[in-house]
Amino acid sequence: MPTSINPATGETIKEIAGHSDEDIERALTNAKLAFDEWKKTSFAHRASIMNKAADLLEERKNELARTATREMGKRLQEAVAEVEKCAWVCRYYAENAEAFLSDDPRDSDAKKAFVAYRPLGPVLAVMPWNFPYWQVFRFAAPTLMAGNVGLLKHASNVSMCALAIEEIFLDAGAPQGVFKTLVIGSSKVEHIIDDDRLRAVTLTGSGPAGAAVASAASNRFKPSVLELGGSDPFIVMPSADLEKAVETAVKARMINNGQSCIAAKRFIVHVDIYDDFLDAMKSKVSAMKIGDPMREDVDMGPLSSKQARDDIAQQVKKSVEEGATCVTGGKVVEGDGFFFEPTILANIPEGASARTEEFFGPVALVFKAVSAEDAIAIANDSPFGLGSSVWTRDSDEQEMFIREIEAGSTFVNAMVASDPRLPFGGIKDSGYGRELSREGILAFVNAKTVSMN
Ligand code: NDP
């Protein structure tokens, strides 16, 4: 039975009855029936429901945020901001979906030719706990607006958030079956992907989970989108505004208690400013206040689970054994709850595991670069390719970083952040496909060629 545990205290909040195999069967039948009607509705109709969902998110934001904080430990202020962002993505697609999917005329030998974008059917989302609302709404808003219907298999530790999302769509007026949460374990996912009624799948999470879902989808020729991990580089060159770069570096690494796929994780700093950067970063990181994520004066809450805390502690221990220097932090916080000190590791030797692994917790890895070319080489020496952030006022360097860094995005003098208006996704082991913006809604539609004489 899925269990929600408060990671700030270690206490069990709730045990949630999971859905049975019969429930899964019923959900698939209902999803198909709902799709057959939903796909015929107008964009205006779907937009009115999506806008109502946005209103409900805003009305319920404090209650929803508290649920997320209790289930996975993010700071309450960040949870409120997450819910507000969900309302934004709902309104964004309510406003733009029709234009994104309008018939697209093409020149050919026919009298008339165009591309018509048609929905595919029920789409399964396998989602992680780290942004328990945002990850789901950035899937649901474009998917439902395109005329598809959604099934959600959320991470097992955030079932209360998962059920609250279903309630929002139902209360907003979405018919039964248009959005359904299934409280099930990951062992049930392959069976759902195999089912003929299910037409596509998206997953945000770890590489192994992505590989399992992608191979099940490809066995049945179904499209998939994967948003996996990242170890984003954050390059700082001598011309950068150092104060702003350090302030953003700490925020970018420590947001969500260090558990974000697009967190800056590897700080690659030019040798000329390396010592100044590291000193300033150390003073900010070591001053962070760890504690109850419900409190406003706290900077860092717990990791999402005991396992997550133990994993990060093990990664730090191994890195130090391999020769890295622990500049600050590095220890488990004793007591109830799954807290880990905000940490900086530097002098990470060639071949050390920290150079290739993702650190999904509050640990910054700092590297020294002797030139822009060296910084790019370090940045690209990673299996991942999600986001990247570069800090320089030199336009030649900016252009080189944009051209050369292997990543799904490059943010110049800014922190990587998802935005409904901009496509989001990665390359290499960070996955494939794009969410958000026009690219996001095109992920799960049939681009149907129409040729008329
Ligand atoms: P997982 O990838 O295990 O979980 C993400 C989702 O996938 C959950 O709903 C999970 O279900 C499901 N899942 C797990 N294994 C399978 C499978 N074999 N088949 C189908 N579905 C599966 O992430 P974790 O929570 O375990 O975190 C581990 C690592 O994943 C992190 O350290 C980080 O590297 C990465 N991660 C990346 C995220 C991102 O935003 N890109 C977000 C979260 C994690 P269930 O909970 O029931 O196991």
Side-chain angles (χ1 to χ4, degrees):
M1 190 179 288
T3 305
S4 293
I5 295 171
N6 183 343
T9 61
E11 284 163 359
T12 297
I13 312 167
K14 199 168 179 175
E15 288 186 336
I16 292 127
H19 286 106
S20 64
D21 290 351
E22 293 72 41
D23 294 329
I24 294 174
E25 173 56 29
R26 199 171 313 117
L28 283 162
T29 301
N30 288 344
K32 177 72 175 81
L33 290 171
F35 171 64
D36 290 342
E37 296 304 316
W38 184 248
K39 69 181 178 188
K40 295 179 202 149
T41 59
S42 65
F43 280 103
H45 177 74
R46 300 199 288 265
S48 72
I49 291 172
M50 204 50 77
N51 280 324
K52 179 71 184 160
D55 293 345
L56 293 175
L57 280 160
E58 277 166 355
E59 272 169 36
R60 297 176 189 175
K61 69 180 177 187
N62 292 322
E63 174 196 336
L64 291 166
R66 287 180 68 81
T67 303
T69 297
R70 289 180 72 215
E71 280 194 305
M72 54 66 68
K74 71 167 57 199
R75 294 190 311 118
L76 186 64
Q77 287 152 291
E78 291 185 36
V80 171
E82 179 180 336
V83 178
E84 288 167 347
K85 194 167 171 181
C86 295
W88 181 19
V89 80
C90 289
R91 293 205 174 98
Y92 173 79
Y93 279 107
E95 193 181 332
N96 292 296
E98 186 166 11
F100 288 154
L101 299 182
S102 60
D103 290 348
D104 184 359
R106 301 295 167 98
D107 285 333
S108 76
D109 295 335
K111 267 195 196 140
K112 185 178 175 184
F114 60 96
V115 179
Y117 296 100
R118 301 298 304 142
L120 293 178
V123 183
L124 174 67
V126 182
M127 289 291 145
W129 42 265
N130 61 340
F131 292 91
Y133 299 118
W134 170 246
Q135 306 278 24
V136 177
F137 277 92
R138 82 173 174 197
F139 147 76
T143 304
L144 268 49
M145 280 306 301
N148 297 304
V149 302
L151 288 163
L152 170 66
K153 180 268 176 280
H154 217 323
S156 301
N157 56 335
V158 290
S159 300
M160 290 161 69
C161 294
L163 292 167
I165 296 169
E166 179 184 88
E167 201 176 324
I168 285 168
F169 281 117
L170 287 173
D171 292 351
Q176 289 282 349
V178 166
F179 185 92
K180 175 72 186 164
T181 291
L182 287 168
V183 180
I184 51 173
S186 57
S187 61
K188 303 288 180 191
V189 168
E190 191 174 336
H191 165 76
I192 298 175
I193 295 172
D194 254 0
D195 192 283
D196 279 342
R197 290 162 290 189
L198 199 278
R199 299 314 315 158
V201 59
T202 181
L203 175 135
T204 301
S206 64
V213 161
S215 62
S218 70
N219 280 338
R220 297 299 317 275
F221 318 116
K222 295 180 185 178
S224 57
V225 168
L226 299 182
E227 300 286 0
L228 308 176
S231 188
D232 285 5
F234 185 108
I235 296 175
V236 190
M237 297 300 286
S239 67
D241 176 340
L242 194 63
E243 202 183 316
K244 196 152 175 242
V246 173
E247 193 188 313
T248 311
V250 174
K251 183 176 171 203
R253 177 58 284 206
M254 302 303 171
I255 198 164
N256 213 36
N257 306 333
Q259 304 159 116
S260 167
C261 48
I262 47 163
K265 295 186 179 120
R266 295 177 299 136
F267 299 86
I268 302 163
V269 185
H270 191 273
V271 61
D272 291 354
I273 49 163
Y274 180 87
D275 289 342
D276 291 344
F277 180 91
L278 193 55
D279 284 350
M281 193 185 205
K282 181 183 173 184
S283 75
K284 281 191 190 302
V285 168
S286 57
M288 289 182 81
K289 185 171 171 191
I290 309 170
D292 180 357
M294 291 285 178
R295 289 180 59 139
E296 265 189 35
D297 61 344
V298 156
D299 304 306
M300 171 71 57
L303 276 291
S304 63
S305 65
K306 182 172 183 303
Q307 184 68 51
R309 195 268 317 268
D310 293 348
D311 287 349
I312 201 84
Q314 180 56 31
Q315 280 180 297
V316 169
K317 182 169 172 274
K318 188 171 168 203
S319 299
V320 172
E321 283 166 5
E322 287 174 342
T325 309
C326 184
V327 177
T328 184
K331 292 191 292 300
V332 163
V333 178
E334 295 305 333
D336 295 334
F338 314 130
F339 294 89
F340 191 78
E341 291 176 350
T343 299
I344 302 175
L345 298 178
N347 304 319
I348 298 155
E350 291 286 343
S353 49
R355 286 187 176 248
T356 50
E357 286 177 6
E358 178 180 28
F359 280 59
F360 216 65
V363 180
L365 311 173
V366 185
F367 299 84
K368 196 182 282 179
V370 294
S371 62
E373 289 79 4
D374 188 32
I376 292 167
I378 298 169
N380 289 344
D381 184 22
S382 166
F384 297 105
L386 195 52
S388 59
S389 175
V390 299
W391 292 75
T392 172
R393 286 187 269 216
D394 179 320
S395 56
D396 289 342
E397 284 176 0
Q398 291 176 352
E399 201 189 305
M400 187 167 34
F401 290 139
I402 292 167
R403 213 177 42 236
E404 301 286 338
I405 293 177
E406 297 164 358
S409 66
T410 295
F411 283 62
V412 181
N413 296 321
M415 179 176 137
V416 179
S418 61
D419 178 324
R421 299 163 296 184
L422 301 174
F424 179 93
I427 58 169
K428 295 163 76 176
D429 288 4
S430 294
Y432 55 75
R434 290 291 177 269
E435 297 191 276
L436 300 175
S437 195
R438 182 165 192 255
E439 286 77 359
I441 202 166
L442 290 178
F444 295 130
V445 290
N446 171 18
K448 185 179 203 180
T449 297
V450 181
S451 181
M452 302 173 74
N453 276 308

